[in-house]
Amino acid sequence: MNTDATQQDQSGGPATGWWTEAVIYQIYPRSFADSDGDGIGDLPGITARLGHLAELGVDAVWLSPFYPSPQADAGYDVADYRDVDPLFGRLEDADKLIAEARAKGLKVIVDLVPNHTSSAHTWFRAALAAGPGSPERARYVFRDGLGPDGDQPPNDWQSVFGGPAWTRVTDPDGRPGQWYLHLFDTGQPDLNWDNPEVQTEFLDVLRFWLDRGVDGFRVDVAHGLIKQADLANWQEPQEILSGNEVEKPRPPMWDQDAVHEIYREWRRVLDSYDGERILVAEAWVEPAERLARYVRPDEMHQAFNFEYLLASWTAPAQYAVITRSLEATDGVGAPTTWVLSNHDVVRHASRLGLTIGGGRPNGIGIGDQQPEAALGLRRARAATLLMLALPGSAYLYQGEELGLPEHTTLPDEARQDPTWERSGHTQRGRDGCRVPIPWEADAPSYGFGPTDASWLPQPPLWAEYALDRQRGVAGSTYEMYRTALRLRREHGLARGPLEWLSSGDEVLAFRNRALTVLANFGDTAVPPPVGELLHSSAPLDADGRVPTDVTVWVRA
Ligand code: GLC
């Protein structure tokens, strides 16, 4: 058993491991770096670029899925949990990546997708072949259809990507058969987590990657594994999370209490390994108190704070979400986490340049309201400096350190997110935040790979965001991130505590250890806090005041 004293305190005191202070950088493997020029990023590409992450100053990387997959949902449809898709390399490449990351002082977190497999998984193929009532079908959620011919789905649930959450299968004898549940794409059948075989299989998958040396797992759709037993009708369209802050009745497919037992068992497995291996919940659950249940001392270590990601850029909204988030996680002794962008949402450099208030658009395309680029970047930089001064752990999404915007004019023909088709072309989906990132302004595919190939087209404006245009350039977004990460570490900002100095309608200010942090949301410039200006998201004005949409860090 692990005797490391820095594990989360089982008696309810605050946790203190590496992960409580970490800045964790999300790599979306298909879009980070392409070593072989096929237009899709890969593991050797990532390994070759780890130096960038060490220089940036993050503590850990989280890799989105790289497992064998038909790529119906960009790899979140896993056909084999113990291998690497040839698109991304081989298992040895994963080992090499883990070893090189460790040599550079970076932890590695991999993605685990337990809610569903791919329809190409051997289990699902066996379920189709074996027919109704078989133990093979009992690993998934198969039901007879309604109506005299069984041609109506078993209930009214909708898929997150649009359309019904059920698909009817053809039986081995060629006749229409039962229906299977898929909360996401048809290529992602939901597993039946009441089945002990499913539970055992995932304990084994955890061990497989722990034995290979990973430092943790980001758990996909962690709130979805258990469904209400009666599969009651719900009658609501499905969304990952809308940003709606009012409390609603809990849907029968999300956040069921029994899900916590699964994570308690997983936690026991992780704790039996040396080091501090962590579980991170991707759980689109509101309110914050409900989310905090996932990070109780004997469950997961962290959960993504999507309420923070979704909060509007106003002083009252930011104050409310920061306060609520800290209170909720403090209540269970877990670190609060902060996140502004990921592979499922419009990048914050664009989201904050939209004039619409609240919620979030599911993608932006030609014909949609276009973000104001300069305003979006200015606010994104201010939001980032606000976030990186907060106590807890923070998540960054690849490219945000370059100030990268969403690709908001991606041709619809190029779209690959199943959301676009399944929503009947009403929701553009997530491709705009997944475009391969620019490293060198003048190289083919902006340095993403050795050729011009890129699985999603890169816009011409990528050149100005390229790393080589920003590295060593004072005031660039990249250098702003580097400085912030260095100061965050030097001043122990992750440890807090946070003490509010001002929480009005225009200005937020707080103290965190030696620093006073001020963010100006108002229309007029304000004086900075007294002391030495250490960092700011944009220059002060000619009178030495903090302009609108600027955050400053001052040493008192
Ligand atoms: C999570 C992933 C998302 C994926 C979905 C289904 O929300 O972040 O990209 O489409 O789960 O696996």
Side-chain angles (χ1 to χ4, degrees):
M1 282 299 283
N2 189 343
T3 51
D4 194 325
T6 58
Q7 281 288 330
Q8 194 163 5
D9 188 332
Q10 302 286 319
S11 63
T16 54
W18 66 268
W19 43 278
T20 62
E21 303 181 10
V23 174
I24 302 174
Y25 182 100
Q26 180 187 0
I27 293 181
Y28 194 66
R30 29 171 68 233
S31 304
F32 189 69
D34 174 19
S35 73
D36 58 11
D38 66 354
I40 299 183
D42 45 48
L43 300 188
I46 296 169
T47 305
R49 295 277 191 191
L50 286 174
H52 164 65
L53 302 177
E55 181 184 273
L56 179 61
V58 301
D59 304 290
V61 296
W62 145 39
L63 301 161
S64 280
F66 48 73
Y67 315 109
S69 162
Q71 306 290 324
D73 183 22
Y76 280 95
D77 46 324
V78 179
D80 179 354
Y81 290 85
R82 298 178 184 81
D83 206 348
V84 172
D85 195 291
L87 271 182
F88 301 122
R90 296 172 310 157
L91 201 50
E92 297 80 71
D93 295 317
D95 292 337
K96 203 164 163 217
L97 192 162
I98 295 167
E100 300 248 336
R102 171 159 311 146
K104 291 193 157 51
L106 297 165
K107 310 265 186 197
V108 177
I109 294 170
V110 294
D111 219 304
L112 186 72
V113 188
N115 180 66
H116 43 265
T117 70
S118 161
S119 52
H121 193 285
T122 49
W123 273 11
F124 193 71
R125 292 179 190 274
L128 293 186
S134 61
E136 287 84 354
R137 285 214 173 170
R139 294 167 176 151
Y140 293 91
V141 186
F142 278 89
R143 291 289 186 278
D144 293 333
L146 301 180
D149 303 319
D151 59 1
Q152 300 299 313
N155 71 19
D156 64 0
W157 293 5
Q158 299 291 299
S159 137
V160 172
F161 297 151
W166 295 89
T167 291
R168 193 170 196 185
V169 302
T170 305
D171 275 340
D173 64 8
R175 284 206 289 236
Q178 288 188 302
W179 298 69
Y180 70 90
L181 177 69
H182 53 87
L183 290 177
F184 294 88
D185 189 60
T186 47
Q188 295 168 297
D190 279 54
L191 285 163
N192 169 19
W193 271 89
D194 295 325
N195 185 332
E197 219 188 323
V198 172
Q199 298 164 12
T200 311
E201 169 69 1
F202 275 86
L203 293 175
D204 197 65
V205 171
L206 289 175
R207 289 196 187 94
F208 178 87
W209 289 102
L210 290 167
D211 289 339
R212 298 196 103 81
V214 303
D215 297 287
F217 301 90
R218 175 265 190 192
V219 181
D220 190 66
V221 195
H223 57 316
L225 277 52
I226 301 287
K227 281 78 183 173
Q228 195 172 295
D230 60 1
L231 301 182
N233 280 338
W234 174 238
Q235 292 164 341
E236 296 272 339
Q238 214 29 280
E239 276 179 335
I240 291 185
L241 193 84
S242 62
N244 187 340
E245 287 183 7
V246 293
E247 205 175 338
K248 295 180 286 196
R250 186 144 6 99
M253 68 293 279
W254 304 130
D255 195 26
Q256 301 296 305
D257 288 342
V259 85
H260 296 283
E261 209 33 65
I262 299 171
Y263 304 130
R264 290 197 182 100
E265 190 163 13
W266 291 11
R267 178 64 181 256
R268 288 194 285 273
V269 172
L270 266 74
D271 284 353
S272 72
Y273 279 77
D274 61 0
E276 298 168 76
R277 322 281 182 112
I278 69 164
L279 293 167
V280 184
E282 188 231 12
W284 293 83
V285 168
E286 291 172 313
E289 295 73 33
R290 202 65 212 171
L291 182 64
R293 293 159 56 94
Y294 288 75
V295 291
R296 289 177 288 194
D298 58 347
E299 297 193 39
M300 302 220 196
H301 299 72
Q302 295 188 341
F304 290 103
N305 185 351
F306 294 126
E307 215 174 311
Y308 177 71
L309 183 152
L310 294 165
S312 323
W313 182 246
T314 67
Q318 295 286 318
Y319 173 75
V321 74
I322 292 169
T323 314
R324 229 180 8 241
S325 306
L326 288 168
E327 276 170 12
T329 40
D330 280 357
V332 292
T336 316
T337 69
W338 312 101
V339 60
L340 289 166
S341 281
N342 67 28
H343 67 294
D344 289 330
V345 301
V346 171
R347 283 181 176 277
H348 68 287
S350 297
R351 202 172 65 232
L352 298 176
L354 292 169
T355 49
I356 50 170
R360 66 180 171 101
N362 191 349
I364 299 173
I366 297 165
D368 291 336
Q369 185 211 347
Q370 294 292 307
E372 242 187 87
L375 176 70
L377 181 57
R378 182 180 181 79
R379 288 184 172 167
R381 290 172 55 124
T384 295
L385 276 204
L386 181 58
M387 172 175 89
L388 291 176
L390 294 171
S393 174
Y395 281 82
L396 307 180
Y397 176 50
Q398 66 179 37
E400 69 168 86
E401 76 278 24
L402 306 173
L404 214 59
E406 184 88 355
H407 189 343
T408 56
T409 54
L410 194 65
D412 287 336
E413 314 79 73
R415 293 192 183 278
Q416 309 219 7
D417 181 354
T419 304
W420 175 236
E421 288 303 325
R422 287 194 60 87
S423 70
H425 295 180
T426 58
Q427 303 284 317
R428 289 227 152 78
R430 305 159 294 174
D431 294 302
C433 64
R434 299 175 174 181
V435 176
I437 64 172
W439 298 90
E440 290 140 35
D442 300 319
S445 63
Y446 305 102
F448 165 59
T451 66
D452 274 326
S454 170
W455 70 280
L456 286 171
Q458 300 165 296
L461 55 79
W462 252 212
E464 69 187 78
Y465 293 95
L467 177 64
D468 69 349
R469 289 270 173 94
Q470 301 197 40
R471 213 162 158 249
V473 177
S476 69
T477 303
Y478 174 68
E479 293 300 339
M480 183 199 86
Y481 268 77
R482 270 187 78 193
T483 303
L485 292 174
R486 177 175 57 74
L487 291 171
R488 183 180 187 277
R489 176 168 303 168
E490 283 172 13
H491 290 273
L493 299 183
R495 290 196 288 281
L498 177 150
E499 184 199 332
W500 288 105
L501 303 174
S502 163
S503 56
D505 283 347
E506 323 247 289
V507 170
L508 288 187
F510 59 82
R511 199 172 166 96
N512 183 352
R513 300 173 87 88
L515 259 60
T516 303
V517 175
L518 180 148
N520 184 7
F521 298 82
D523 290 337
T524 50
V526 298
V530 178
E532 179 196 354
L533 182 69
L534 291 186
H535 204 15
S536 71
S537 64
L540 303 190
D541 70 12
D543 302 324
R545 295 157 78 90
V546 182
T548 303
D549 293 327
V550 173
T551 300
V552 294
W553 292 8
V554 170
R555 191 197 339 235

